[in-house]
Amino acid sequence: MILDDDPDGDWTAPGVFRCAPGVHRIPLPLPNDGLRAVNVYAVEDGDGITLVDSGWALSEARDLLETALKTLGAGFGDVRRFLVTHSHRDHYTQAVVLRHEFGMRVALGRGERSGLDIILSDRADGSANQRRLARAGAHELLSRLGAGPPPVDPTHWAPPDEWIDDGDEIVVGVGERLRRLRAVATPGHTRGHVVFADEAADLLFSGDHVLPRITPSIALEPDPPANPLADFLTSLELMRSRPDAAMLPAHGPVGMRVHERVDELIAHHGVRLDASLAAVREGRRTASEVAAVLPWTRRGTALVDLDPFNAMLATLETASHLEVLVQRDVLTRSEQDGVDHYSL
């Protein structure tokens, strides 16, 4: 059964949800993940289907995607291609596995190439994040994290068939049902994150760049840039300068407008920048020290009460906020014994 999407419903519930003419949302599960689900969008493409994002290569996700496609009167063989917003495993890996079996094409933003090269060379050992944590002064957290990420499953990773460049126009469908998706580079969450704008239909497939209920992690990837939060804020401003649209996010319900949520995200980071600056004024000098006095999550959880993975995300986000303050000439940074220290 195909249901009309309900912004007030449980967005993680399995099923097929009509969110716009010719566009259906398919939530796929993320076991043992706080996000709970990822939205894959099925877009009518002539007598086939184009999928925006693919889900994580898990048997449960595959079965639910197959069931959803059957509900739409299709199967894996009818999927023409995947348009993937970024190379995180919950968006990319199922596309790689299904392509090997069924031959559909996979397209990914060109900016993801360097990180994907590291994964494919089996060098994705988490060392980039370990170095960032060491520079943040988070040595105790490093010991809690222990060993790096699990080994990469080589069947889940491969280069795409096509690299998407900023501004590329992707034609989906034919005749009266033809739609043109404009790829827009939105670095920040990852180097090569892209969103897909269908201006004629007033839609934006926003991936993890603009999410309705949470703020995305910044530069959690094998090859993070020097100032990922500055990139993210610039990408948010870019979204604000473009035509407004109904937001089709990768995590969370539909129903919000892009500009409304972008304004909230910019305001949120403004508050975090002010709080980080206040912590430095009070005498904290490292990203680890600043993160320790800031509240985290909607519940205002202390850093010490977060699990090691989320404590890592919080510390790295704090370091990114401090770097933006350096870029804005509000703070200065100096290095002492391999740790970055910040001062007015």
Side-chain angles (χ1 to χ4, degrees):
M1 178 185 300
I2 299 174
L3 302 174
D4 288 331
D5 219 339
D6 179 6
D8 298 320
D10 178 7
W11 72 272
T12 68
V16 180
F17 302 91
R18 185 186 299 104
C19 49
V23 181
H24 295 85
R25 183 177 65 86
I26 304 171
L28 298 181
L30 302 178
N32 303 317
D33 190 296
L35 293 174
R36 297 177 58 206
V38 59
N39 292 322
V40 172
Y41 292 93
V43 183
E44 290 181 6
D45 191 354
D47 58 356
I49 289 176
T50 284
L51 294 177
V52 178
D53 287 329
S54 74
W56 190 344
L58 301 166
S59 58
E60 183 181 357
R62 178 195 174 107
D63 291 346
L64 283 175
L65 181 57
E66 184 174 27
T67 299
L69 290 173
K70 286 180 180 177
T71 301
L72 292 170
F76 288 133
D78 298 300
V79 177
R80 297 181 183 278
R81 60 187 160 184
F82 288 98
L83 303 177
V84 184
T85 58
H86 62 294
S87 60
H88 281 168
R89 62 186 180 180
D90 56 325
H91 296 254
Y92 188 63
T93 56
Q94 186 153 248
V96 172
V97 172
L98 291 176
R99 178 184 62 180
H100 179 72
E101 296 182 50
F102 298 97
M104 66 280 284
R105 297 182 68 78
V106 178
L108 181 69
R110 191 177 298 277
E112 299 292 73
R113 189 168 197 159
S114 62
L116 196 57
D117 284 346
I118 291 174
I119 293 173
L120 295 174
S121 66
D122 201 25
R123 291 183 286 121
D125 56 4
S127 57
N129 290 326
Q130 290 172 356
R131 289 193 296 271
R132 294 169 70 198
L133 287 173
R135 293 190 67 87
H139 299 101
E140 188 274 335
L141 175 57
L142 275 168
S143 66
R144 289 170 59 202
L145 284 166
V152 169
D153 186 335
T155 66
H156 291 183
W157 299 94
D161 300 290
E162 305 170 32
W163 293 109
I164 301 171
D165 290 309
D166 182 36
D168 280 356
E169 184 180 85
I170 301 165
V171 176
V172 180
V174 295
E176 294 182 356
R177 294 183 176 272
L178 182 145
R179 68 176 73 231
R180 301 180 189 275
L181 302 181
R182 181 71 61 187
V184 183
T186 50
H189 180 59
T190 65
R191 279 180 179 267
H193 192 288
V194 293
V195 300
F196 301 102
D198 183 346
E199 293 184 11
D202 188 39
L203 299 174
L204 181 80
F205 298 90
S206 63
D208 280 7
H209 179 55
V210 187
L211 298 172
R213 293 181 176 174
I214 60 173
T215 59
S217 62
I218 302 298
L220 186 64
E221 55 187 326
D223 182 31
N227 201 334
L229 181 59
D231 294 340
F232 179 65
L233 294 174
T234 298
S235 296
L236 287 178
E237 294 287 358
L238 173 63
M239 288 294 98
R240 196 62 177 83
S241 71
R242 291 182 54 82
D244 198 9
M247 187 170 70
L248 301 180
H251 306 284
V254 302
M256 288 194 76
R257 303 289 294 179
V258 172
H259 285 183
E260 174 190 5
R261 184 54 179 157
V262 164
D263 288 345
E264 292 177 355
L265 289 168
I266 291 173
H268 164 79
H269 282 288
V271 169
R272 300 302 283 185
L273 287 165
D274 290 344
S276 299
L277 177 59
V280 174
R281 283 195 175 120
E282 293 167 359
R284 278 78 183 185
R285 291 290 175 260
T286 69
S288 179
E289 291 172 353
V290 172
V293 298
L294 298 179
W296 296 98
T297 76
R298 293 184 175 186
R299 300 177 181 85
T301 306
L303 183 76
V304 70
D305 294 325
L306 296 176
D307 63 81
F309 178 76
N310 283 294
M312 176 187 74
L313 294 182
T315 302
L316 295 180
E317 180 177 309
T318 302
S320 293
H321 280 99
L322 293 169
E323 284 300 310
V324 167
L325 291 170
V326 171
Q327 183 188 56
R328 295 180 179 180
D329 293 326
V330 178
L331 296 179
T332 59
R333 174 182 10 89
S334 61
E335 182 183 331
Q336 300 177 29
D337 299 322
V339 175
D340 290 330
H341 285 68
Y342 298 88
S343 58
L344 297 174

